[in-house]
Amino acid sequence: MEKVCLCRGVTKEQIIESIKNGAKTFEDVKEKTGAGTGGCRGGRCEGTIETLIKVYEE
């Protein structure tokens, strides 16, 4: 499983699942998964998460 948020160990699959369950913004994904709440505060993963939102939002 590919980790997107290294600080919190959140995987790409977990992020995609949160998007499919209604997360529409980085803040939504952050709230649902904890991604972006680690030491870097999303500095490393925010761009990737925003790209995943564009690809997987329904």
Side-chain angles (χ1 to χ4, degrees):
M1 287 189 270
E2 179 184 346
K3 289 198 170 111
V4 173
C5 176
L6 299 177
C7 296
R8 293 288 181 208
V10 181
T11 66
K12 180 178 179 179
E13 291 80 11
Q14 290 171 297
I15 292 168
I16 292 168
E17 187 67 26
S18 75
I19 296 165
K20 289 181 177 180
N21 287 321
K24 298 186 184 310
T25 65
F26 173 70
E27 291 300 319
D28 290 344
V29 171
K30 187 175 169 178
E31 185 178 309
K32 290 178 180 276
T33 67
T37 62
C40 79
R41 298 286 183 235
R44 294 183 182 145
C45 63
E46 185 173 3
T48 302
I49 291 170
E50 288 177 350
T51 299
L52 290 171
I53 291 169
K54 288 177 186 173
V55 171
Y56 290 96
E57 69 184 345
E58 297 178 303

Coordinates of all heavy atoms in Angstrom, one line a residue:
M1 N 0.8 -1.2 0.0 CA 0.0 0.0 0.0 C 0.9 1.2 0.0 O 1.8 1.4 0.8 CB -0.9 0.0 1.2 CG -2.0 -1.0 1.2 SD -3.2 -0.8 2.5 CE -2.5 -1.9 3.7
E2 N 0.6 2.1 -0.9 CA 1.3 3.4 -1.1 C 0.9 4.4 0.0 O -0.3 4.7 0.1 CB 1.1 3.9 -2.4 CG 1.8 5.2 -2.7 CD 1.5 5.8 -4.1 OE1 0.9 5.1 -4.9 OE2 1.8 7.0 -4.3
K3 N 1.8 4.8 0.8 CA 1.6 5.9 1.8 C 1.7 7.2 1.1 O 2.6 7.6 0.5 CB 2.5 5.8 2.9 CG 2.2 4.5 3.8 CD 2.8 4.6 5.1 CE 2.3 3.4 5.9 NZ 3.2 2.4 6.3
V4 N 0.6 8.1 1.3 CA 0.6 9.4 0.8 C 1.1 10.4 1.9 O 1.9 11.2 1.7 CB -0.8 9.8 0.3 CG1 -0.8 11.3 -0.1 CG2 -1.1 8.9 -0.9
C5 N 0.5 10.2 3.1 CA 0.9 11.0 4.3 C 1.9 10.2 5.1 O 1.5 9.3 5.9 CB -0.3 11.4 5.1 SG 0.1 12.3 6.6
L6 N 3.1 10.5 5.0 CA 4.2 9.7 5.7 C 4.1 10.0 7.2 O 4.4 9.1 8.0 CB 5.5 10.1 5.1 CG 5.8 9.7 3.7 CD1 7.1 10.2 3.2 CD2 5.6 8.2 3.4
C7 N 3.8 11.2 7.6 CA 3.8 11.6 9.0 C 2.7 10.8 9.8 O 3.0 10.4 10.9 CB 3.4 13.1 9.2 SG 4.7 14.2 8.5
R8 N 1.6 10.5 9.2 CA 0.5 9.8 9.8 C 0.3 8.4 9.3 O -0.6 7.6 9.8 CB -0.8 10.6 9.8 CG -0.8 11.8 10.5 CD -0.8 11.5 12.0 NE -0.9 12.8 12.7 CZ -0.4 12.9 14.0 NH1 0.1 11.9 14.6 NH2 -0.4 14.1 14.6
G9 N 1.0 8.0 8.2 CA 0.9 6.7 7.7 C -0.4 6.4 6.9 O -0.8 5.3 6.9
V10 N -1.0 7.5 6.4 CA -2.2 7.3 5.7 C -2.0 6.9 4.2 O -1.1 7.5 3.5 CB -3.0 8.7 5.7 CG1 -4.4 8.5 5.0 CG2 -3.3 9.1 7.1
T11 N -2.7 5.9 3.8 CA -2.4 5.3 2.5 C -3.3 6.0 1.4 O -4.3 6.6 1.7 CB -2.7 3.8 2.5 OG1 -4.1 3.6 2.7 CG2 -1.9 3.0 3.5
K12 N -2.8 5.8 0.2 CA -3.6 6.3 -1.0 C -5.0 5.7 -1.0 O -6.0 6.4 -1.2 CB -2.9 5.9 -2.3 CG -3.5 6.3 -3.5 CD -2.7 5.9 -4.7 CE -3.3 6.3 -6.0 NZ -2.5 6.0 -7.2
E13 N -5.1 4.4 -0.6 CA -6.4 3.7 -0.6 C -7.3 4.4 0.4 O -8.5 4.5 0.2 CB -6.2 2.2 -0.3 CG -5.6 1.5 -1.4 CD -4.1 1.6 -1.5 OE1 -3.4 2.1 -0.6 OE2 -3.5 1.2 -2.5
Q14 N -6.8 4.7 1.6 CA -7.6 5.4 2.6 C -8.1 6.7 2.2 O -9.3 7.1 2.4 CB -6.8 5.5 3.9 CG -6.6 4.2 4.6 CD -5.6 4.4 5.8 OE1 -4.4 4.8 5.6 NE2 -6.1 4.2 7.0
I15 N -7.3 7.4 1.5 CA -7.7 8.8 1.0 C -8.7 8.6 -0.1 O -9.7 9.3 -0.1 CB -6.4 9.5 0.5 CG1 -5.5 9.9 1.7 CG2 -6.8 10.8 -0.3 CD1 -4.2 10.4 1.4
I16 N -8.5 7.7 -1.0 CA -9.5 7.5 -2.1 C -10.9 7.1 -1.5 O -11.9 7.6 -1.9 CB -9.0 6.4 -3.1 CG1 -7.8 7.0 -3.9 CG2 -10.2 6.0 -4.0 CD1 -7.1 5.9 -4.7
E17 N -10.8 6.2 -0.5 CA -12.1 5.8 0.2 C -12.8 7.0 0.8 O -14.0 7.2 0.7 CB -11.8 4.8 1.2 CG -13.0 4.2 1.9 CD -13.8 3.3 0.9 OE1 -13.3 2.8 -0.1 OE2 -15.1 3.2 1.2
S18 N -12.0 7.9 1.4 CA -12.6 9.1 2.1 C -13.2 10.0 1.0 O -14.3 10.6 1.2 CB -11.6 9.9 2.9 OG -10.7 10.6 2.1
I19 N -12.6 10.1 -0.2 CA -13.2 10.9 -1.3 C -14.5 10.3 -1.8 O -15.4 11.0 -2.0 CB -12.1 11.0 -2.4 CG1 -10.9 11.8 -1.9 CG2 -12.7 11.7 -3.6 CD1 -9.7 11.7 -2.8
K20 N -14.5 9.0 -1.9 CA -15.7 8.3 -2.4 C -16.8 8.4 -1.4 O -18.0 8.3 -1.7 CB -15.3 6.8 -2.7 CG -14.5 6.7 -4.0 CD -14.2 5.2 -4.3 CE -13.4 5.1 -5.6 NZ -13.2 3.7 -5.9
N21 N -16.4 8.6 -0.1 CA -17.4 8.8 0.9 C -17.7 10.3 1.2 O -18.2 10.6 2.3 CB -17.0 8.1 2.2 CG -17.1 6.6 2.1 OD1 -18.0 6.1 1.5 ND2 -16.1 5.9 2.6
G22 N -17.4 11.2 0.3 CA -17.9 12.5 0.4 C -16.8 13.6 0.7 O -17.2 14.8 0.7
A23 N -15.6 13.3 0.9 CA -14.6 14.3 1.1 C -14.3 15.0 -0.2 O -14.1 14.4 -1.2 CB -13.3 13.7 1.6
K24 N -14.5 16.3 -0.2 CA -14.4 17.1 -1.4 C -13.2 18.1 -1.4 O -12.9 18.7 -2.4 CB -15.7 17.9 -1.7 CG -16.8 17.0 -1.9 CD -18.1 17.8 -2.3 CE -19.3 17.0 -2.4 NZ -19.2 15.8 -3.2
T25 N -12.6 18.3 -0.2 CA -11.5 19.2 -0.1 C -10.4 18.6 0.7 O -10.6 17.5 1.4 CB -11.9 20.5 0.6 OG1 -12.3 20.2 2.0 CG2 -13.0 21.2 -0.1
F26 N -9.2 19.2 0.7 CA -8.1 18.7 1.5 C -8.5 18.7 3.0 O -8.2 17.7 3.7 CB -6.8 19.6 1.3 CG -5.7 19.3 2.3 CD1 -5.0 18.1 2.2 CD2 -5.4 20.1 3.3 CE1 -4.0 17.8 3.0 CE2 -4.4 19.9 4.2 CZ -3.6 18.7 4.1
E27 N -9.2 19.7 3.4 CA -9.7 19.8 4.8 C -10.6 18.6 5.2 O -10.5 18.1 6.3 CB -10.4 21.1 5.1 CG -9.4 22.3 5.1 CD -8.3 22.2 6.2 OE1 -8.6 21.8 7.3 OE2 -7.2 22.5 5.9
D28 N -11.5 18.2 4.2 CA -12.4 17.1 4.4 C -11.6 15.8 4.6 O -11.8 15.0 5.5 CB -13.3 16.9 3.3 CG -14.4 18.0 3.1 OD1 -14.6 18.7 4.1 OD2 -15.0 18.1 2.0
V29 N -10.6 15.6 3.7 CA -9.8 14.4 3.8 C -9.0 14.4 5.1 O -8.9 13.4 5.8 CB -8.8 14.3 2.6 CG1 -7.8 13.2 2.7 CG2 -9.6 14.1 1.3
K30 N -8.5 15.5 5.5 CA -7.7 15.7 6.7 C -8.6 15.3 7.9 O -8.1 14.5 8.8 CB -7.3 17.1 6.8 CG -6.4 17.5 7.9 CD -6.0 19.0 7.7 CE -5.3 19.5 8.9 NZ -4.9 20.9 8.7
E31 N -9.8 15.7 7.9 CA -10.7 15.4 9.0 C -11.1 13.9 9.1 O -11.1 13.3 10.1 CB -12.0 16.2 8.9 CG -13.0 16.1 10.0 CD -14.2 16.9 9.8 OE1 -14.0 18.2 9.6 OE2 -15.3 16.4 10.0
K32 N -11.3 13.3 7.9 CA -11.7 11.9 7.8 C -10.6 10.9 8.1 O -10.8 9.8 8.6 CB -12.4 11.6 6.5 CG -13.7 12.3 6.3 CD -14.3 12.0 5.0 CE -15.7 12.6 4.8 NZ -16.7 11.8 5.3
T33 N -9.3 11.3 7.7 CA -8.2 10.3 7.7 C -7.1 10.7 8.6 O -6.3 9.8 9.0 CB -7.6 10.1 6.3 OG1 -7.0 11.4 5.9 CG2 -8.7 9.7 5.3
G34 N -7.0 11.9 9.0 CA -5.8 12.4 9.8 C -4.6 12.8 8.9 O -3.6 13.3 9.4
A35 N -4.7 12.6 7.6 CA -3.7 13.0 6.7 C -3.5 14.5 6.8 O -4.5 15.2 6.9 CB -4.0 12.6 5.3
G36 N -2.3 14.9 6.8 CA -2.0 16.4 6.9 C -2.0 17.0 8.3 O -1.9 18.2 8.4
T37 N -2.1 16.1 9.2 CA -2.1 16.6 10.6 C -0.8 16.3 11.4 O -0.7 16.5 12.6 CB -3.3 16.0 11.4 OG1 -3.2 14.6 11.5 CG2 -4.6 16.3 10.8
G38 N 0.1 15.7 10.7 CA 1.4 15.4 11.3 C 2.4 16.6 11.4 O 2.0 17.7 11.3
G39 N 3.6 16.3 11.5 CA 4.6 17.3 11.7 C 4.8 18.3 10.6 O 5.1 19.4 10.8
C40 N 4.5 17.8 9.4 CA 4.7 18.8 8.2 C 3.4 19.6 7.9 O 3.4 20.4 7.1 CB 5.2 18.0 7.0 SG 3.8 17.2 6.1
R41 N 2.3 19.3 8.6 CA 1.1 20.0 8.4 C 0.6 20.0 7.0 O 0.0 20.9 6.5 CB 1.1 21.4 9.0 CG 1.4 21.5 10.4 CD 0.2 21.1 11.2 NE 0.4 21.3 12.6 CZ 0.3 20.3 13.5 NH1 -0.1 19.2 13.1 NH2 0.5 20.5 14.8
G42 N 0.8 18.9 6.3 CA 0.3 18.7 4.9 C 1.3 19.2 3.9 O 1.0 19.1 2.7
G43 N 2.4 19.7 4.3 CA 3.4 20.3 3.3 C 3.9 19.3 2.3 O 4.2 19.6 1.2
R44 N 3.9 18.0 2.7 CA 4.4 17.0 1.8 C 3.2 16.3 1.1 O 3.5 15.8 0.0 CB 5.2 15.9 2.6 CG 6.4 16.5 3.2 CD 7.2 15.4 3.8 NE 8.4 15.9 4.4 CZ 9.0 15.5 5.6 NH1 8.4 14.6 6.2 NH2 10.1 16.1 6.0
C45 N 2.0 16.2 1.6 CA 1.0 15.4 1.0 C -0.2 16.2 0.4 O -1.0 15.7 -0.3 CB 0.5 14.4 2.0 SG -0.3 15.1 3.5
E46 N -0.3 17.5 0.8 CA -1.5 18.3 0.3 C -1.6 18.3 -1.2 O -2.8 18.0 -1.7 CB -1.4 19.7 0.8 CG -2.6 20.5 0.5 CD -2.7 21.9 1.2 OE1 -1.7 22.2 1.9 OE2 -3.7 22.5 1.0
G47 N -0.6 18.5 -1.9 CA -0.7 18.5 -3.4 C -1.2 17.1 -3.9 O -2.0 17.1 -4.8
T48 N -0.6 16.0 -3.4 CA -1.0 14.7 -3.9 C -2.5 14.5 -3.5 O -3.2 13.9 -4.4 CB -0.1 13.6 -3.2 OG1 1.2 13.9 -3.5 CG2 -0.5 12.2 -3.7
I49 N -2.9 14.9 -2.3 CA -4.3 14.7 -1.9 C -5.2 15.5 -2.8 O -6.3 15.0 -3.3 CB -4.5 15.0 -0.5 CG1 -3.8 14.0 0.4 CG2 -6.0 15.1 -0.1 CD1 -3.7 14.3 1.9
E50 N -4.9 16.7 -3.1 CA -5.7 17.5 -4.0 C -5.8 16.9 -5.4 O -6.9 17.0 -6.0 CB -5.2 19.0 -4.0 CG -5.5 19.7 -2.7 CD -4.9 21.1 -2.7 OE1 -4.1 21.5 -3.6 OE2 -5.2 21.8 -1.7
T51 N -4.7 16.3 -5.9 CA -4.8 15.6 -7.2 C -5.7 14.4 -7.1 O -6.5 14.2 -8.0 CB -3.4 15.2 -7.6 OG1 -2.5 16.4 -7.7 CG2 -3.4 14.4 -8.9
L52 N -5.6 13.7 -6.1 CA -6.5 12.5 -5.9 C -8.0 12.9 -5.8 O -8.8 12.3 -6.4 CB -6.1 11.7 -4.6 CG -4.8 11.0 -4.7 CD1 -4.5 10.4 -3.4 CD2 -4.9 9.8 -5.8
I53 N -8.3 14.1 -5.2 CA -9.6 14.6 -5.2 C -10.1 14.9 -6.6 O -11.2 14.5 -6.9 CB -9.7 15.8 -4.3 CG1 -9.5 15.4 -2.8 CG2 -11.1 16.5 -4.4 CD1 -9.3 16.6 -1.9
K54 N -9.3 15.5 -7.4 CA -9.7 15.8 -8.8 C -10.0 14.5 -9.6 O -10.9 14.5 -10.4 CB -8.6 16.7 -9.4 CG -8.6 18.1 -8.9 CD -7.5 18.8 -9.6 CE -7.3 20.2 -8.9 NZ -6.2 20.9 -9.4
V55 N -9.2 13.5 -9.3 CA -9.3 12.3 -10.1 C -10.5 11.4 -9.7 O -11.2 10.9 -10.5 CB -8.0 11.5 -10.0 CG1 -8.1 10.1 -10.6 CG2 -6.8 12.2 -10.7
Y56 N -10.7 11.4 -8.4 CA -11.7 10.4 -7.8 C -13.0 11.0 -7.4 O -13.9 10.3 -7.0 CB -11.1 9.6 -6.6 CG -10.0 8.7 -7.1 CD1 -8.7 9.0 -7.1 CD2 -10.4 7.4 -7.6 CE1 -7.7 8.1 -7.5 CE2 -9.4 6.6 -8.1 CZ -8.1 6.9 -8.0 OH -7.1 6.0 -8.5
E57 N -13.2 12.3 -7.4 CA -14.5 12.9 -7.0 C -15.5 12.5 -8.0 O -15.3 12.4 -9.2 CB -14.4 14.4 -6.8 CG -14.2 15.2 -8.1 CD -14.0 16.7 -7.8 OE1 -14.3 17.1 -6.7 OE2 -13.6 17.4 -8.7
E58 N -16.7 12.2 -7.5 CA -17.8 11.8 -8.3 C -18.7 12.9 -8.7 O -18.9 13.9 -8.1 CB -18.6 10.7 -7.6 CG -17.7 9.5 -7.3 CD -18.4 8.4 -6.6 OE1 -18.9 8.6 -5.5 OE2 -18.4 7.3 -7.1

